[in-house]
C-alpha cells in the first residue's frame, strides 16, 4: 500500500465510521465497564445466538469525553483503560462509575491517535499511536498514567504500526504494515521499556497491497501459550498469520473473508489453541452483512465461512468468559453474538462500538466513538 493510499485509508476509515456511527444509536448513560483475556471452556452456552441476543445488552458508562476510543484494555470488572483520538487516555478503577483522564502531557502527543492499549493492572499500561513514520509511537506508564515515557518512535518512513499484543506483562510485540514486502514486528521483553526489531526471516511474504487495519487493536492478538495471530486485508482474500513462538516464526492461511482497499479481516480472537473466530468486512459499507465472519476448529489450518453473518462490518471481537462457544463482535452498525463458536451470529444492539474485550473475572467491555464505553449485561 502506498504512503498516500494508506494515509487516505486511515482518513477515510475515520470519516466513514464516524458517519456510520452517528446514525447508529443513542446510549443511555449508566454505570459499569468490562475487560479482556482468554477464557475457560467449562460452562455451557445459551441454546442459540438468537436466545443469547434476547438476554444481552450494553450498559453505558459516561466517560465525559468525545474522543473515539478504538484502544480498549479492561483488566477486570473494576479496572479498565481506553485510548483514542486527540492523544486521549482514560482509566477507571470503579467499574466505570468514574473515569480519570490520564492522557500523556508535554510529550507532543495531543494530535496522535492511540489506536491500541495493553494494560496489566491499574498502574501499568502500554499505548500505541498509529500513523506514517514518526506518528507511530509507543509510550509506557507504571504509575496509573500520572506519567508516561516514550519508549519507541518509528524512524522508517514506509512503516505504519497498527496493533500490539502481549503474551505476558513483560513480553510483547507491535506490528507494522509490510516494509520491503513483509509485515514488520518489534518486540519487548521488559514490559515495553525497550523494543528491538524481530528478524524478517520467519515472516512469510506479504501480497501486493496487503496490510492490516488499525481499527480496534485486535489485528494482532495473543493466544494460548506463546501463540500470536496477525490478520490482514488490502489483498484478496484476507489472510491469517499464526505463530507458536511469540512472533519469531509464522505460517499463513487464506480466509473466506474477501480483501480489498477497505476490506478484509479486522479482528481475530482465539479460545484455546484450536477454536478461533475472525470478523471484518468493508468499512466503507458498514451495514453490509456478507462474508464478514469465519471460524476455525483446527487451530487455523482451515477457516470456514459463518453460516449466518454478523449484521454489518465488524471491527472487534472477543470470547465471553464462562460460556463455551459464545463470542461477541462489534462495529459501527451494532453488536452481534454467537453461541456456536462462530457458525451463526445474531444481533443484540444497534449502537456503535469499535472494540470489545472480556476479562477473566467475567466482564466484557466495549468502546467506540463519541467517548462511548459499554459493559455487557446478561
Amino acid at each position: 500500500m502506498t504512503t498516500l493510499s494508506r494515509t487516505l485509508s486511515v482518513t477515510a476509515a475515520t470519516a466513514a465510521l464516524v458517519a456510520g456511527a452517528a446514525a447508529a444509536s443513542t446510549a443511555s448513560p449508566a454505570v459499569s465497564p468490562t475487560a479482556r483475556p482468554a477464557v475457560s471452556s467449562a460452562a455451557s452456552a445459551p441454546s442459540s445466538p438468537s436466545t443469547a441476543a434476547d438476554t444481552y445488552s450494553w450498559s453505558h458508562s459516561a466517560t465525559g469525553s468525545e474522543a473515539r476510543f478504538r484502544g480498549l484494555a479492561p483488566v477486570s470488572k473494576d479496572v479498565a483503560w481506553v485510548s483514542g483520538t486527540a492523544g486521549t487516555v482514560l482509566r477507571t478503577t470503579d467499574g466505570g462509575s468514574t473515569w480519570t483522564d490520564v492522557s500523556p502531557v508535554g510529550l507532543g502527543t495531543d494530535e496522535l491517535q492511540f489506536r491500541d492499549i495493553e494494560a496489566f493492572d491499574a498502574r501499568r499500561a502500554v499505548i500505541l499511536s498509529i500513523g506514517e513514520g514518526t506518528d507511530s509511537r509507543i509510550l509506557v506508564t507504571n504509575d496509573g498514567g500520572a506519567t508516561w515515557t516514550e519508549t519507541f518512535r518509528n524512524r522508517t518512513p514506509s512503516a505504519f504500526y497498527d496493533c500490539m499484543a502481549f503474551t505476558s506483562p513483560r513480553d510483547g510485540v507491535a506490528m507494522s504494515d509490510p516494509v520491503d514486502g513483509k509485515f514488520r514486528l518489534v518486540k519487548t521483553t521488559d514490559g515495553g521499556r525497550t523494543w528491538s526489531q524481530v528478524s524478517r526471516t520467519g515472516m512469510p511474504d506479504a501480497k501486493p497491497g496487503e496490510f492490516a487495519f488499525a481499527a480496534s487493536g485486535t489485528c494482532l492478538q495473543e493466544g494460548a501459550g506463546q501463540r500470536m495471530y496477525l490478520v490482514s486485508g488490502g489483498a484478496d482474500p484476507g489472510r491469517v498469520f499464526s505463530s507458536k513462538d511469540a512472533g519469531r516464526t509464522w505460517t499463513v492461511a487464506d480466509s473466506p473473508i474477501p480483501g480489498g482497499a477497505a476490506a478484509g479481516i479486522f479482528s481475530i480472537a482465539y479460545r484455546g489453541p484450536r477454536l478461533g473466530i475472525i470478523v471484518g468486512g468493508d468499512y466503507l459499507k458498514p451495514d453490509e452483512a456478507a462474508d464478514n465472519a469465519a471460524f476455525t476448529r483446527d487451530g487455523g489450518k482451515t477457516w470456514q465461512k459463518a453460516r449466518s453473518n454478523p449484521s454489518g462490518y465488524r471491527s472487534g471481537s472477543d470470547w465471553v468468559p464462562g460460556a463455551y462457544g459464545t463470542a461477541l463482535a462489534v462495529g459501527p452498525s451494532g453488536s452481534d453474538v454467537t453461541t456456536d463458536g462462530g457458525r451463526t451470529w445474531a444481533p443484540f444492539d444497534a449502537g456503535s462500538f469499535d472494540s470489545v474485550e472480556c476479562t477473566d473475572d467475567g466482564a466484557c467491555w466495549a468502546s467506540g466513538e463519541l467517548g462511548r464505553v459499554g459493559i455487557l449485561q446478561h
Side-chain angles (χ1 to χ4, degrees):
M1 194 178 192
T2 66
T3 297
L4 177 59
S5 61
R6 188 185 300 146
T7 303
L8 289 175
S9 176
V10 173
T11 305
T14 302
L17 292 178
V18 168
S25 97
T26 56
S28 53
V31 199
S32 300
T34 321
R36 76 147 293 146
V39 236
S40 76
S41 56
S44 60
S47 57
S48 70
S50 59
T51 300
D54 290 339
T55 62
Y56 282 12
S57 63
W58 294 109
S59 172
H60 294 271
S61 172
T63 63
S65 173
E66 292 191 354
R68 184 162 204 158
F69 293 126
R70 294 185 185 274
L72 171 64
V75 178
S76 68
K77 62 182 177 59
D78 296 316
V79 176
W81 302 64
V82 291
S83 65
T85 53
T88 307
V89 183
L90 306 183
R91 184 193 64 152
T92 182
T93 58
D94 56 12
S97 294
T98 60
W99 292 85
T100 302
D101 188 336
V102 294
S103 306
V105 176
L107 298 177
T109 59
D110 290 354
E111 301 302 318
L112 296 181
Q113 298 187 50
F114 290 121
R115 293 283 186 97
D116 199 1
I117 181 168
E118 303 289 330
F120 312 112
D121 50 41
R123 298 185 62 79
R124 296 176 297 164
V126 184
I127 49 177
L128 169 72
S129 64
I130 61 100
E132 291 286 349
T134 57
D135 281 352
S136 288
R137 306 177 199 178
I138 298 173
L139 288 78
V140 175
T141 184
N142 292 303
D143 56 12
T147 60
W148 294 88
T149 301
E150 182 182 305
T151 59
F152 173 81
R153 183 178 295 206
N154 174 47
R155 301 294 181 183
T156 303
S158 58
F160 185 113
Y161 283 80
D162 300 289
C163 297
M164 297 183 296
F166 278 74
T167 57
S168 77
R170 295 184 60 82
D171 301 301
V173 171
M175 178 207 71
S176 164
D177 288 338
V179 176
D180 297 327
K182 293 189 177 187
F183 283 97
R184 171 173 288 191
L185 304 175
V186 293
K187 68 176 182 179
T188 180
T189 58
D190 55 13
R193 290 193 294 274
T194 60
W195 297 85
S196 60
Q197 189 171 331
V198 177
S199 171
R200 293 167 41 89
T201 58
M203 177 64 71
D205 291 341
K207 291 183 176 182
E210 190 171 25
F211 58 92
F213 292 101
S216 65
T218 54
C219 60
L220 178 70
Q221 279 285 59
E222 72 279 5
Q226 295 294 297
R227 288 175 172 81
M228 283 191 167
Y229 308 97
L230 185 164
V231 291
S232 74
D236 188 35
R239 300 201 294 172
V240 181
F241 295 70
S242 302
S243 173
K244 294 181 179 179
D245 54 15
R248 288 188 293 278
T249 61
W250 297 80
T251 58
V252 63
D254 289 346
S255 83
I257 296 180
I265 310 168
F266 283 69
S267 178
I268 184 167
Y270 261 82
R271 171 164 274 171
R274 298 181 65 82
L275 180 58
I277 54 171
I278 50 177
V279 299
D282 187 327
Y283 66 68
L284 295 179
K285 302 174 182 177
D287 297 316
E288 187 170 272
D291 297 333
N292 61 358
F295 64 94
T296 182
R297 291 280 188 278
D298 58 15
K301 294 184 182 71
T302 59
W303 292 88
Q304 302 175 56
K305 285 184 182 181
R307 295 172 189 167
S308 65
N309 292 297
S311 50
Y313 149 74
R314 295 293 176 256
S315 55
S317 63
D318 205 0
W319 296 93
V320 176
Y324 182 75
T326 301
L328 307 173
V330 300
S333 65
S335 302
D336 300 85
V337 60
T338 178
T339 60
D340 53 18
R343 285 193 294 269
T344 59
W345 294 83
F348 70 90
D349 185 88
S352 172
F353 286 113
D354 297 310
S355 306
V356 60
E357 294 190 7
C358 299
T359 55
D360 282 339
D361 64 354
C364 290
W365 301 68
S367 64
E369 52 101 24
L370 296 176
R372 296 189 66 202
V373 171
I375 302 102
L376 188 67
Q377 306 297 308
H378 62 97

